[in-house]
Amino acid sequence: MPMRSHYCGAVTEALIGQPVTLCGWVNRRRDHGGVIFIDLRDREGTVQVVCDPDRPQMFATAEHLRNEYCIQVRGVVRARPEGTVNDAIRSGKVEVLCHEIEVLNPSVTPPFQLDDDNLSETTRLTHRVLDLRRPYMQRNLMLRYRVAMETRRFLDAHGFIDIETPMLTRSTPEGARDYLVPSRVHDGMFYALPQSPQLFKQLLMVAGFDRYYQITKCFRDEDLRADRQPEFTQIDIETSFMTEQEIRDLFQGMIKTVFANTIGVDLGEFPVMTYAEAMARFGSDKPDLRVKLEFTELTDVMKDVEFKVFSGPANMPGGRVVALRVPGGAQMSRSEIDAYTEFVKIYGAKGLAWIKVNDLAAGRDGLQSPIVKNLHDAALQAVLQRSGARDGDLLFFGADKAKVVNDAIGALRVKIGHSAFGKANGLFEDRWAPLWVVDFPMFEYDEEERRWVAVHHPFTAPKDGHEDLMATDPGACLAKAYDMVLNGWELGGGSVRIHRADVQRKVFAALNIGEDEARAKFGFLLDALQYGAPPHGGLAFGLDRLVTLMTGAESIRDVIAFPKTQRAQCLLTHAPSPVDEKQLRELHIRLRNPQPA
Amino acid sequence: MPMRSHYCGAVTEALIGQPVTLCGWVNRRRDHGGVIFIDLRDREGTVQVVCDPDRPQMFATAEHLRNEYCIQVRGVVRARPEGTVNDAIRSGKVEVLCHEIEVLNPSVTPPFQLDDDNLSETTRLTHRVLDLRRPYMQRNLMLRYRVAMETRRFLDAHGFIDIETPMLTRSTPEGARDYLVPSRVHDGMFYALPQSPQLFKQLLMVAGFDRYYQITKCFRDEDLRADRQPEFTQIDIETSFMTEQEIRDLFQGMIKTVFANTIGVDLGEFPVMTYAEAMARFGSDKPDLRVKLEFTELTDVMKDVEFKVFSGPANMPGGRVVALRVPGGAQMSRSEIDAYTEFVKIYGAKGLAWIKVNDLAAGRDGLQSPIVKNLHDAALQAVLQRSGARDGDLLFFGADKAKVVNDAIGALRVKIGHSAFGKANGLFEDRWAPLWVVDFPMFEYDEEERRWVAVHHPFTAPKDGHEDLMATDPGACLAKAYDMVLNGWELGGGSVRIHRADVQRKVFAALNIGEDEARAKFGFLLDALQYGAPPHGGLAFGLDRLVTLMTGAESIRDVIAFPKTQRAQCLLTHAPSPVDEKQLRELHIRLRNPQPA
């Protein structure tokens, strides 16, 4: 005899008149007119259980039930009396007339009400098991599962096979900080947890597996930001014998399919934008296209203005001057503008110049601004014309090193777009806004290290015809690299890889990585490339981020069952924790700062 | 224009007359009668490409091709001339008349022939990428994928959802040795890599997820045996509100479905055997039922024989005396028997007594044996009757502590069954032999530590009615634990868990784990049980082992893309490896034995 016949949340009109056996948790108990009503909850939802006093033994049990008791109920499904139907839940047209109750397990009083929406994250993570009982978290993790499963179905249908790559691997010389694992067998040696399966998936292509995927944990020991975890999950994909265009088309199809099959959203066609265009128009390589604001390029016209704040950057190599036109922004108060000025300072901007366009017809008199007097007519004319300024607009300005301008004005653009002002003034379009950003540069110059570094990773292939630029003009060399962006988040990215050892050597040369260093670090990849490595490429999606976007969760931690805090701790199990001296001895390590016993 | 129109291995009669574009590797090139034949290989198989000299440019390219060159071929499919059909391959009825060849990437000469079946494992793991190109490894990893995917499909259809549990977790106090990960943020603290998601999956049941699964990596830092890896993959499952019987039925169905849908094998119904019966009949809790040999219990009849080798163990608490009847074994030579005597010593046996049954009708004179003279008539009579001895049989004997007898005679049983002799004499049935072993003991006595320890783990529920035995007679207390066994391998195992805190406390008491220790080690589980934890249970299957069995591979390493050696090394990437002093400093650790720089 099975312990349960149906899920609580799945008891519907179709079962009227039938006996059911339900298992679940007491979500709420109400005593009303001598009858006890129990909202019984399981992962599929709740159902109303009615306990009449005419079955005294059952009723006595019901009287002692409290929230979160785990119980088994036997009864018969019946239609709810007229006027008591609850259309908000799937079982809302029916109720279960209770014949028998068994308390499977009582519960002490929970530390919080499950329907309390104002819990601190510390409380939630400390009592994660109860937090996970909440329908919000149940829904999030169910959706996460469905996204992963739809992804697998799509990839399976397209001939991709899941191949597991090692978790205990070799410390990678480039990239973020590794998590290390001391070896017991090999004194003084360490494994590293993978930052990504990048090299292994390339090796699998060389091995001829042709189409690989894996939904796998990756690890980075970095200081955590709001949307980062020490371990995160990547949908990792690689394919041979496909062009960049074919790869993008296929995985655009995958993401579209996943959205359609899980949350019923049609993402439409994805616009394709070059990195150069994205930076020019939005100061970001992951622009949020829902925000209807764009940069106006002014570097060229500010070279000869008196205003040093503009002419300095305009004449500096790598400097940039832009405006951001905010339609309707002239109504902003001085304190609002001051708040935005403080905001851009987070991104390194020294200030935030502005012009309120009150009355274009009135010429300079119609412009309210602390800086207009410092701009000659031609410059001012260019500002107004290029930005398309109209009466009632506000223009913000950024002038600094390009990176500072892009970061600061790019962030300001998003901030204004998402603000109440932005939403009220039509600057924000509430839709799904996917795009591809393509043609990334191969290299960027690291001022601190005074050398070129790889923008993606050193295995990214240059665009056709750009091979020679690697030696002659690294900064102009573009890569077969692409990112998928959604609503201003990078959902995933990848590239066509280098499959020929001679091209790989040119990249190492451009990065100033010598033959010996290359051999020591990537010898096994270089070896593999020699044996007829196929043309290949791929990409990786961040599953945590994808699901966070899809659920509309506030934090990545809301789509992970047992996340770590921003201090990389698990509040539930208290990891990390001290370990025995014996364990350390076996691993041939000791603490630098031994703790008092 | 796609780089490829078809897989090489998928070019069949259906495509005759059609143009195709193929990509793959030169498996072999033959020059024959002025024509060049190329066997072009990809993951789906090979196809014959014919290069005629009437296209000189293409022919010139073909002349320079060598093994493992990666090439693209354009051509037209045609039927092979009569007499040249190759029925061994899918494309064997056709060939591709080549129009164009592009060398996508040349190859240096591989260090070995891909079709060499006598490669050392060191060679194979050092050049793993080439080793993986071999059809044997391609097939193994493809099957592994299909097994995992069929498992996911089955579980999905039964409402199980994949929920990821942490990789960076807390060091577990019971079980095998942990792999540790030093924390950078928390000086002196360590994460541990999970030995299994056991506690997390139980927490997910308490959280109401109802049906969980995960195909996930687990880690144990143990000295490696032939079938062990530092990291291994587990199909990990847990469910709420199902009885032991329901759980077994469901997952028997899962394994049957996976076998049927991947290798077309019907495993039939699984016999269910208690642990007690398995040990009595086969001396093993994972008996290989293909071997048609069984133990004969003799402990009771050997108590009063003169032969101390038998009477000693027969009278010792925990001693055991058994016979193993080998039909037709009387033909074994003395040297064969000597070899088996050496074999059982591996398992701690001091010797191997035997009787050859030459002629039962002749009484003692018909028995050839060094020990018969020491057995009185009643004992000898019992030996012959109970074992069902017939002329031509050989009886082997084990007498020692039960564990030694079970291990030694159990291994001997399998050894003889699998031997050429066993196979020739009908002692081995070549079939799939699954079974369930159930009713495991809750506890076994650890002689060294002089305390009871959990046979499975301390969260296993006792059989109904056995709760009180935990205090009064722990050795007699049976558990709701079950193992699935196939061909003598443990495929998986699990149990119904304890869902009530009071029962859990009784188990800790039986294990002599104090209240404080229990809190410190398992506080978060005990906490969770208080809040209406549901009845739950589950199991885990070893994916590596399952696939090894299904492929008939010799080693678990043949079903893992990038395995470690028995010294826990990756010969391809050279992990583990030394790391920088800076990395150690950041992790607040130092080496005990610093290496000379």
Side-chain angles (χ1 to χ4, degrees):
Chain A
M1 177 104 165
M3 227 183 271
R4 167 173 68 190
S5 67
H6 298 83
Y7 278 113
C8 300
V11 176
T12 61
E13 309 87 280
L15 296 173
I16 286 174
Q18 290 187 32
V20 291
T21 308
L22 307 176
C23 292
W25 288 267
V26 175
N27 202 49
R28 201 156 63 120
R29 195 193 85 196
R30 282 164 299 141
D31 301 19
H32 186 71
V35 175
I36 296 175
F37 295 90
I38 299 161
D39 287 342
L40 192 62
R41 186 192 71 238
D42 63 21
R43 78 173 200 195
E44 301 297 329
T46 61
V47 66
Q48 176 164 291
V49 176
V50 182
C51 305
D52 273 337
D54 58 359
R55 295 176 191 259
Q57 199 186 338
M58 178 277 289
F59 194 78
T61 305
E63 280 187 301
H64 289 93
L65 296 179
R66 297 172 60 186
N67 281 0
E68 300 311 316
Y69 272 41
C70 181
I71 64 172
Q72 184 187 47
V73 165
R74 290 178 200 283
V76 172
V77 181
R78 67 181 189 193
R80 289 202 196 189
E82 223 157 304
T84 65
V85 164
N86 177 359
D87 285 329
I89 60 174
R90 199 166 145 214
S91 71
K93 291 200 171 57
V94 297
E95 60 190 14
V96 175
L97 181 64
C98 184
H99 293 176
E100 262 182 271
I101 297 176
E102 188 182 343
V103 175
L104 298 170
N105 213 351
S107 172
V108 299
T109 305
F112 52 78
Q113 294 284 344
L114 260 63
D115 56 5
D116 184 344
D117 284 335
N118 296 306
L119 301 171
S120 78
E121 187 155 61
T122 302
T123 301
R124 290 179 54 201
L125 294 182
T126 305
H127 302 280
R128 187 58 158 182
V129 179
L130 290 173
D131 186 44
L132 288 174
R133 277 194 191 163
R134 303 193 308 146
Y136 169 72
M137 287 304 300
Q138 297 261 324
R139 265 197 314 270
N140 286 359
L141 292 185
M142 296 265 192
L143 179 63
R144 183 186 178 109
Y145 168 61
R146 288 200 295 135
V147 167
M149 196 64 193
E150 284 297 328
T151 301
R152 291 184 188 279
R153 284 215 177 87
F154 181 94
L155 290 167
D156 185 76
H158 288 82
F160 286 80
I161 73 170
D162 178 350
I163 302 178
E164 296 171 61
T165 55
M167 289 282 134
L168 293 172
T169 178
R170 187 186 159 93
S171 186
T172 48
E174 303 259 324
R177 198 183 286 115
D178 284 319
Y179 278 104
L180 297 182
V181 182
S183 164
R184 177 177 57 88
V185 180
H186 303 276
D187 187 352
M189 309 280 231
F190 292 77
Y191 303 97
L193 301 180
Q195 295 186 23
S196 91
Q198 181 64 36
L199 291 171
F200 288 108
K201 70 176 175 176
Q202 292 193 237
L203 295 176
L204 289 171
M205 292 304 101
V206 182
F209 282 100
D210 201 87
R211 296 188 169 197
Y212 145 95
Y213 86 95
Q214 201 181 182
I215 300 184
T216 190
K217 284 279 175 75
C218 301
F219 303 84
R220 279 178 208 171
D221 187 9
E222 293 298 325
D223 295 317
L224 304 180
R225 298 201 310 256
D227 60 343
R228 288 279 173 88
Q229 285 278 309
E231 53 182 292
F232 55 97
T233 304
Q234 203 161 287
I235 303 170
D236 193 53
I237 299 168
E238 196 81 3
T239 173
S240 297
F241 307 122
M242 286 178 79
T243 62
E244 179 184 345
Q245 184 69 51
E246 287 177 280
I247 293 173
R248 286 212 314 265
D249 288 349
L250 184 60
F251 295 104
Q252 174 171 324
M254 182 179 92
I255 293 294
K256 282 168 61 80
T257 302
V258 168
F259 269 75
N261 291 357
T262 57
I263 57 171
V265 165
D266 177 5
L267 287 180
E269 277 307 293
F270 293 18
V272 179
M273 191 178 290
T274 64
Y275 172 87
E277 182 184 350
M279 297 309 288
R281 293 173 58 193
F282 310 110
S284 168
D285 59 2
K286 40 178 191 278
D288 185 346
L289 295 188
R290 297 172 303 172
V291 174
K292 293 155 80 180
L293 299 173
E294 293 196 20
F295 286 18
T296 300
E297 185 63 55
L298 297 171
T299 312
D300 53 332
V301 296
M302 294 300 175
K303 287 188 190 296
D304 61 350
V305 299
E306 265 179 60
F307 192 40
K308 290 278 182 294
V309 170
F310 286 3
S311 61
N315 287 297
M316 175 168 80
R320 188 175 190 193
V321 183
V322 303
L324 184 76
R325 179 172 78 90
V326 183
Q331 63 184 274
M332 273 190 207
S333 68
R334 187 59 200 253
S335 70
E336 282 174 282
I337 293 176
D338 287 347
Y340 286 128
T341 307
E342 287 308 305
F343 174 75
V344 295
K345 287 182 183 168
I346 300 170
Y347 300 89
K350 293 178 204 75
L352 184 63
W354 52 271
I355 299 176
K356 282 189 180 175
V357 183
N358 293 329
D359 182 6
L360 272 179
R364 284 186 178 257
D365 287 347
L367 303 176
Q368 177 188 350
S369 166
I371 63 157
V372 164
K373 60 180 179 302
N374 300 317
L375 302 180
H376 55 60
D377 283 348
L380 190 58
Q381 197 59 24
V383 167
L384 296 174
Q385 271 186 352
R386 288 194 191 173
S387 68
R390 297 200 295 190
D391 289 353
D393 289 355
L394 173 64
L395 302 172
F396 282 122
F397 294 85
D400 209 313
K401 283 184 215 164
K403 181 170 164 38
V404 172
V405 169
N406 293 335
D407 288 354
I409 307 302
L412 179 65
R413 171 183 171 271
V414 172
K415 179 88 173 170
I416 293 174
H418 286 245
S419 69
F421 168 85
K423 287 180 179 167
N425 284 272
L427 307 183
F428 182 86
E429 213 176 339
D430 192 7
R431 60 170 179 115
W432 294 97
L435 78 155
W436 285 104
V437 177
V438 302
D439 293 359
F440 279 79
M442 280 285 282
F443 309 104
E444 63 191 353
Y445 197 73
D446 187 316
E447 299 285 349
E448 249 174 68
E449 300 199 22
R450 294 166 154 272
R451 64 179 188 98
W452 293 96
V453 296
V455 170
H456 273 69
H457 51 62
F459 319 113
T460 303
K463 299 275 290 183
D464 296 336
H466 286 225
E467 291 86 351
D468 292 338
L469 289 173
M470 290 196 279
T472 57
D473 186 2
C477 181
L478 299 182
K480 290 182 179 169
Y482 33 82
D483 277 0
M484 188 188 288
V485 176
L486 180 62
N487 293 1
W489 288 37
E490 183 197 324
L491 267 195
S495 63
V496 173
R497 327 298 181 184
I498 296 166
H499 69 283
R500 295 189 62 134
D502 54 339
V503 179
Q504 187 66 68
R505 269 191 293 272
K506 282 186 199 171
V507 172
F508 287 145
L511 294 171
N512 210 10
I513 297 177
E515 192 91 13
D516 287 352
E517 191 184 353
R519 272 230 74 72
K521 287 179 172 176
F522 307 112
F524 54 98
L525 179 67
L526 296 177
D527 275 352
L529 293 183
Q530 294 183 90
Y531 296 110
H536 63 289
L539 73 180
F541 294 94
L543 179 62
D544 309 291
R545 209 176 268 186
L546 174 62
V547 179
T548 303
L549 265 174
M550 293 176 80
T551 56
E554 300 239 320
S555 157
I556 205 174
R557 290 183 291 278
D558 283 358
V559 302
I560 297 173
F562 301 104
K564 304 276 191 302
T565 65
Q566 282 178 259
R567 300 254 307 148
Q569 281 177 302
C570 174
L571 298 183
L572 176 71
T573 62
H574 302 293
S577 65
V579 298
D580 289 347
E581 176 59 24
K582 174 167 173 282
Q583 291 174 280
L584 299 182
R585 227 172 14 240
E586 286 183 322
L587 299 175
H588 318 291
I589 59 172
R590 61 175 99 238
L591 302 183
R592 276 175 195 266
N593 310 305
Q595 315 290 307
Chain B
M1 177 100 167
M3 226 184 270
R4 166 173 69 190
S5 67
H6 298 83
Y7 279 113
C8 301
V11 176
T12 62
E13 309 88 279
L15 296 172
I16 285 174
Q18 290 187 32
V20 292
T21 310
L22 308 176
C23 292
W25 289 267
V26 175
N27 201 48
R28 203 156 62 118
R29 194 194 85 194
R30 279 164 301 142
D31 300 20
H32 186 71
V35 175
I36 296 176
F37 295 89
I38 299 161
D39 288 341
L40 191 62
R41 187 191 71 237
D42 63 19
R43 78 173 199 194
E44 300 297 328
T46 61
V47 68
Q48 177 164 290
V49 175
V50 183
C51 305
D52 274 338
D54 57 2
R55 295 176 192 260
Q57 197 186 342
M58 177 277 290
F59 194 78
T61 306
E63 279 186 303
H64 289 93
L65 295 179
R66 297 171 60 187
N67 282 359
E68 300 310 317
Y69 272 40
C70 182
I71 64 173
Q72 184 188 46
V73 166
R74 291 179 200 282
V76 172
V77 180
R78 68 180 188 192
R80 289 202 195 189
E82 221 158 306
T84 65
V85 164
N86 176 358
D87 286 328
I89 60 173
R90 200 167 145 213
S91 71
K93 292 199 170 56
V94 297
E95 59 191 15
V96 175
L97 181 64
C98 185
H99 292 176
E100 260 182 272
I101 296 176
E102 187 183 343
V103 175
L104 299 171
N105 213 351
S107 173
V108 299
T109 305
F112 52 80
Q113 294 284 344
L114 260 62
D115 57 3
D116 184 345
D117 285 335
N118 295 306
L119 300 171
S120 78
E121 187 155 63
T122 301
T123 300
R124 292 179 51 202
L125 294 182
T126 304
H127 303 280
R128 187 57 157 183
V129 178
L130 291 173
D131 186 45
L132 288 175
R133 277 194 191 163
R134 304 193 306 146
Y136 169 72
M137 286 304 299
Q138 296 262 326
R139 264 197 314 271
N140 286 358
L141 293 185
M142 296 265 194
L143 179 64
R144 183 187 177 108
Y145 168 61
R146 289 199 295 133
V147 167
M149 196 64 192
E150 283 296 328
T151 301
R152 290 184 188 279
R153 284 215 177 87
F154 181 94
L155 290 168
D156 186 75
H158 287 82
F160 285 80
I161 72 170
D162 179 349
I163 302 178
E164 296 172 61
T165 55
M167 288 282 136
L168 293 171
T169 178
R170 188 186 157 93
S171 184
T172 48
E174 303 259 323
R177 199 184 286 113
D178 283 319
Y179 277 103
L180 296 182
V181 182
S183 164
R184 177 178 56 87
V185 180
H186 303 277
D187 186 352
M189 310 279 230
F190 292 78
Y191 303 97
L193 301 179
Q195 296 187 21
S196 91
Q198 181 65 36
L199 291 171
F200 287 109
K201 70 176 173 174
Q202 292 193 237
L203 295 176
L204 288 171
M205 292 304 102
V206 182
F209 282 99
D210 202 88
R211 296 187 169 198
Y212 145 96
Y213 85 95
Q214 201 180 182
I215 300 184
T216 190
K217 284 281 176 72
C218 301
F219 303 83
R220 280 180 206 168
D221 187 9
E222 293 298 326
D223 295 316
L224 304 180
R225 299 202 311 254
D227 59 345
R228 289 278 172 88
Q229 284 279 310
E231 54 182 291
F232 55 97
T233 303
Q234 202 161 287
I235 304 169
D236 193 54
I237 300 167
E238 195 82 3
T239 173
S240 297
F241 306 123
M242 286 179 79
T243 62
E244 179 184 344
Q245 183 70 49
E246 287 177 279
I247 293 172
R248 287 211 315 265
D249 288 349
L250 185 60
F251 294 104
Q252 175 171 323
M254 180 179 93
I255 293 295
K256 282 167 63 79
T257 301
V258 168
F259 269 75
N261 291 357
T262 57
I263 57 172
V265 165
D266 177 5
L267 288 179
E269 277 309 293
F270 294 18
V272 179
M273 192 178 290
T274 65
Y275 173 88
E277 182 184 348
M279 296 309 288
R281 292 174 58 193
F282 310 109
S284 168
D285 60 1
K286 41 178 191 281
D288 184 346
L289 295 188
R290 297 172 304 173
V291 174
K292 292 155 82 179
L293 299 172
E294 292 197 21
F295 286 18
T296 300
E297 185 62 56
L298 297 171
T299 312
D300 55 331
V301 297
M302 294 300 175
K303 286 186 190 295
D304 62 349
V305 298
E306 267 179 60
F307 192 39
K308 289 279 182 295
V309 171
F310 284 5
S311 61
N315 287 296
M316 178 168 77
R320 189 176 188 193
V321 184
V322 303
L324 183 76
R325 180 172 78 91
V326 182
Q331 62 184 274
M332 274 190 205
S333 68
R334 188 57 200 254
S335 70
E336 283 175 280
I337 292 176
D338 287 347
Y340 286 129
T341 306
E342 287 308 305
F343 174 75
V344 296
K345 286 182 183 168
I346 299 169
Y347 300 90
K350 293 177 205 75
L352 183 63
W354 53 270
I355 298 175
K356 282 189 178 175
V357 182
N358 293 328
D359 183 3
L360 271 179
R364 285 182 177 257
D365 287 348
L367 303 176
Q368 178 189 351
S369 165
I371 63 154
V372 164
K373 60 179 179 296
N374 299 316
L375 302 181
H376 55 60
D377 283 349
L380 190 57
Q381 197 58 25
V383 167
L384 297 174
Q385 272 187 353
R386 288 193 190 174
S387 69
R390 296 199 297 189
D391 290 353
D393 290 355
L394 172 64
L395 301 173
F396 281 122
F397 293 86
D400 209 311
K401 283 184 218 165
K403 180 169 167 36
V404 172
V405 169
N406 293 336
D407 288 355
I409 307 302
L412 179 65
R413 171 182 169 270
V414 172
K415 180 89 172 169
I416 294 173
H418 285 244
S419 69
F421 168 86
K423 287 178 178 167
N425 284 270
L427 307 183
F428 182 86
E429 213 175 338
D430 192 7
R431 61 171 178 113
W432 294 97
L435 78 154
W436 285 105
V437 177
V438 302
D439 293 359
F440 278 80
M442 281 284 284
F443 308 104
E444 63 190 354
Y445 197 74
D446 186 316
E447 300 284 350
E448 249 174 67
E449 298 199 25
R450 293 167 156 273
R451 65 179 186 99
W452 292 97
V453 296
V455 169
H456 273 69
H457 50 61
F459 319 113
T460 304
K463 300 276 288 186
D464 297 334
H466 286 225
E467 291 86 351
D468 292 338
L469 289 173
M470 290 196 279
T472 57
D473 187 1
C477 181
L478 299 183
K480 290 182 180 170
Y482 33 82
D483 276 0
M484 187 188 286
V485 176
L486 181 62
N487 294 1
W489 289 35
E490 183 196 325
L491 266 197
S495 62
V496 173
R497 325 299 182 186
I498 296 166
H499 69 283
R500 296 189 61 135
D502 54 338
V503 179
Q504 187 66 69
R505 270 192 291 272
K506 282 186 198 172
V507 172
F508 286 146
L511 295 171
N512 210 10
I513 297 177
E515 191 91 13
D516 288 352
E517 191 184 352
R519 272 229 75 73
K521 288 179 170 174
F522 308 111
F524 55 99
L525 178 67
L526 296 177
D527 276 351
L529 292 183
Q530 295 182 91
Y531 295 109
H536 63 289
L539 73 181
F541 294 94
L543 179 62
D544 309 291
R545 208 178 270 185
L546 173 62
V547 179
T548 304
L549 264 174
M550 293 176 81
T551 56
E554 299 236 322
S555 156
I556 204 174
R557 289 182 292 278
D558 282 359
V559 301
I560 297 173
F562 301 104
K564 304 277 191 303
T565 65
Q566 282 178 259
R567 299 254 308 147
Q569 282 177 301
C570 174
L571 298 183
L572 176 71
T573 61
H574 302 295
S577 65
V579 298
D580 289 348
E581 176 61 21
K582 174 166 173 283
Q583 290 174 281
L584 299 182
R585 228 173 12 242
E586 286 183 322
L587 300 175
H588 320 290
I589 57 173
R590 61 174 100 239
L591 302 182
R592 276 175 195 264
N593 311 304
Q595 316 288 308

